[in-house]
Amino acid sequence: MAIIRPFNGLRPQAELAAKVAARPYDVLSSAEAKAAASGNPYAYYHVSKSEIDLPDGTDIHSQAVYEKAAENLQRFIKEGTLFQDAQPCYYIYKLVMDGRSQVGLVCASAITDYNAGIIKKHEFTRPDKELDRINHIKTTRAQTGNVFLAYEDVPELNVVIDHWQQAQAPAYDFTAEDGIQHTVWVVNDANTVQQITTLFAEKVPCTYIADGHHRAASASLVQKEFAEKGMIKSPEEPANFFLTTIFPASQLAILDYNRLVKDLNGHSEADLLSRLDYDFTVEEIGHLPQQPSMLHEFSMYLGGRWYRLVAREGTYTTDPIGILDVTILQNNVLDKLLGIKDPRTDKRIDFVGGIRGLQELVKRVDSGDMKVAFALYPVTIQQLFDIADSGNVMPPKSTWFEPKLRDGLITQVI
């Protein structure tokens, strides 16, 4: 069963929350972070993307960057921008995007659960990206980025969390520049804290990583190193846990994650359409983009026109990986027709999160930068759970979660 703990969150003064809050470190470039932090000395980018405070051209994985992050974090604490709660708390984090809300619990999740597979994964991690977060955690002695977890709904937990929201005033409530509303409540009542801890221990058999595989893996590796060096004295020390926000599955939405390809692998447009007809029903739908309306349906933009592709029976299997639309597209189009064997490394393919809309696909193809685009129906949360339960991993760039949690609103010090 899931082990979670309250913790002494490091967080901003209420009047500074909107200025501190930053997009996750891995969804924007250094240049974008520098622009976002311009004129804002409180922006958490000074911690999460601290290369913005160093000379242009600085290696973002150099020790100087991690040391600057630690320096800036300590400055935020010294100047009072951030303060640490005196007692262990849980935090309720509500996000509202386009009228749809999702409410999660910010907590410390046990690294033993991660190591034992109680916290389930669906992606591979890369050693270079792990090392970056390892060095950031070790140097700052803080977990500055959230791991986004999901769990099967537990009605009793929903009741407790809903009651706290209704009975208590939020610590933070603001709408960011992208229109997403962020509201945070501090759960500091000892009885309620214990009730939440017990409900997870009794009612939640496992959780699933939705986003943040590298952050979770890095926290585990840091804990292992600290334990081997004798730096951890008790099971309840913060280094034995990592910063997570856990959402009930019913509230989550996964957006489409679409594909662009630079060329047609020697095929003409007419030839590609003809060859696609072996594995798909192909229907021209005109100049206006249309989102796929169901699983196994794809929208393709080619030569200024949109086409609907529906996978024929026999082009996919029913196992958790084979039934995914990303697998169907990879096997029957990207590999078979366009010669893209490994989408992780092939430079001819690019990926666009659904948050940017289908017009982004049109723009990239019409500009001549890309030759063809494919829009996919989103992976379902149940498909993600099925794959994680089976011990498999998803193909690359399968899921895009929105809205994103903001860094800086709650940090765990280790």
Side-chain angles (χ1 to χ4, degrees):
M1 305 300 280
I3 300 172
I4 65 167
R5 293 288 184 270
F7 66 102
N8 303 73
L10 181 67
R11 57 190 183 89
Q13 302 290 346
E15 66 274 13
L16 296 177
K19 293 182 178 180
V20 169
R23 292 165 61 198
Y25 79 97
D26 55 354
V27 302
L28 73 173
S29 68
S30 300
E32 290 170 330
K34 190 169 187 176
S38 178
N40 180 7
Y42 305 108
Y44 205 70
Y45 297 117
H46 295 290
V47 175
S48 61
K49 301 283 288 184
S50 54
E51 66 269 18
I52 67 175
D53 295 325
L54 295 172
D56 290 344
T58 299
D59 179 358
I60 64 172
H61 299 128
S62 66
Q63 186 59 27
V65 171
Y66 306 121
E67 290 174 356
K68 190 64 177 178
E71 175 189 324
N72 287 341
L73 183 61
Q74 290 305 310
R75 175 173 58 82
F76 280 174
I77 295 170
K78 182 178 179 181
E79 293 177 353
T81 301
L82 303 178
F83 70 96
Q84 191 167 19
D85 282 312
Q87 66 188 84
C89 304
Y90 287 126
Y91 305 85
I92 296 170
Y93 191 163
K94 178 181 179 181
L95 301 101
V96 180
M97 175 181 171
D98 298 332
R100 182 183 64 81
S101 65
Q102 60 186 61
V103 181
L105 181 76
V106 185
C107 60
S109 290
I111 288 173
T112 54
D113 278 1
Y114 175 83
N115 294 339
I118 293 171
I119 297 173
K120 299 192 177 187
K121 305 175 278 291
H122 70 267
E123 286 184 7
F124 287 123
T125 54
R126 287 172 35 189
D128 59 331
K129 296 184 74 171
E130 288 178 1
L131 182 60
D132 171 55
R133 287 302 93 188
I134 288 168
N135 289 335
H136 197 276
I137 293 169
K138 287 168 58 178
T139 307
T140 61
R141 295 302 298 264
Q143 295 164 359
T144 61
N146 243 298
V147 177
F148 181 166
L149 301 182
Y151 67 98
E152 295 280 7
D153 285 53
V154 175
E156 297 94 327
L157 272 168
N158 293 340
V159 169
V160 174
I161 290 171
D162 289 347
H163 175 75
W164 192 268
Q165 291 177 78
Q166 295 165 11
Q168 305 294 328
Y172 311 130
D173 188 11
F174 64 91
T175 300
E177 69 283 350
D178 56 4
I180 297 173
Q181 184 179 358
H182 301 262
T183 311
V184 176
W185 290 261
V186 180
V187 182
N188 51 14
D189 171 70
N191 290 332
T192 305
V193 165
Q194 185 56 52
Q195 187 179 11
I196 292 171
T197 304
T198 301
L199 281 169
F200 265 88
E202 294 179 350
K203 301 287 186 178
V204 181
C206 64
T207 57
Y208 300 82
I209 298 179
D211 196 10
H213 284 80
H214 288 93
R215 293 187 284 277
S218 300
S220 173
L221 291 168
V222 169
Q223 188 272 347
K224 182 175 184 290
E225 179 180 337
F226 282 10
E228 289 173 348
K229 291 181 176 178
M231 298 169 62
I232 297 176
K233 306 301 182 184
S234 77
E236 294 299 316
E237 285 198 22
N240 289 318
F241 298 83
F242 63 107
L243 178 63
T244 61
T245 302
I246 313 182
F247 292 89
S250 64
Q251 297 185 20
L252 298 182
I254 305 177
L255 300 189
D256 44 310
Y257 215 150
N258 302 316
R259 275 81 170 127
L260 290 150
V261 182
K262 285 185 177 294
D263 60 70
L264 301 185
N265 195 35
H267 300 294
S268 67
E269 292 179 5
D271 184 43
L272 179 64
L273 287 168
S274 176
R275 288 173 178 266
L276 283 168
D277 193 55
Y278 286 103
D279 296 314
F280 301 85
T281 60
V282 181
E283 175 190 359
E284 184 178 330
I285 54 179
H287 296 287
L288 296 178
Q290 290 187 25
Q291 292 278 3
S293 61
M294 61 182 182
L295 289 170
H296 309 338
E297 178 183 303
F298 307 82
S299 294
M300 179 179 72
Y301 186 63
L302 173 70
R305 292 184 174 275
W306 284 93
Y307 299 84
R308 178 182 293 111
L309 312 179
V310 179
R312 298 184 188 276
E313 289 189 15
T315 59
Y316 54 89
T317 59
T318 57
D319 64 273
I321 297 294
I323 203 168
L324 291 175
D325 284 354
V326 288
T327 304
I328 296 168
L329 185 71
Q330 175 61 37
N331 291 345
N332 297 286
V333 182
L334 300 179
D335 182 354
K336 182 177 180 180
L337 300 180
L338 299 179
I340 295 171
K341 303 295 182 184
D342 185 355
R344 296 177 188 275
T345 59
D346 199 307
K347 302 300 184 184
R348 297 167 52 231
I349 190 169
D350 199 6
F351 306 88
V352 176
I355 189 67
R356 303 185 71 173
L358 297 189
Q359 285 300 331
E360 178 68 15
L361 304 183
V362 172
K363 183 177 75 173
R364 295 283 299 277
V365 173
D366 286 353
S367 72
D369 176 39
M370 294 289 178
K371 188 66 176 178
V372 62
F374 299 93
L376 286 77
Y377 191 79
V379 170
T380 68
I381 194 70
Q382 189 59 53
Q383 286 179 318
L384 185 153
F385 285 1
D386 289 345
I387 288 170
D389 286 341
S390 73
N392 287 303
V393 296
M394 283 190 171
K397 309 294 185 182
S398 295
T399 58
W400 184 281
F401 283 89
E402 287 287 348
K404 302 288 189 187
L405 302 166
R406 292 288 166 133
D407 286 350
L409 292 179
I410 307 160
T411 295
Q412 179 173 243
V413 177
I414 65 166

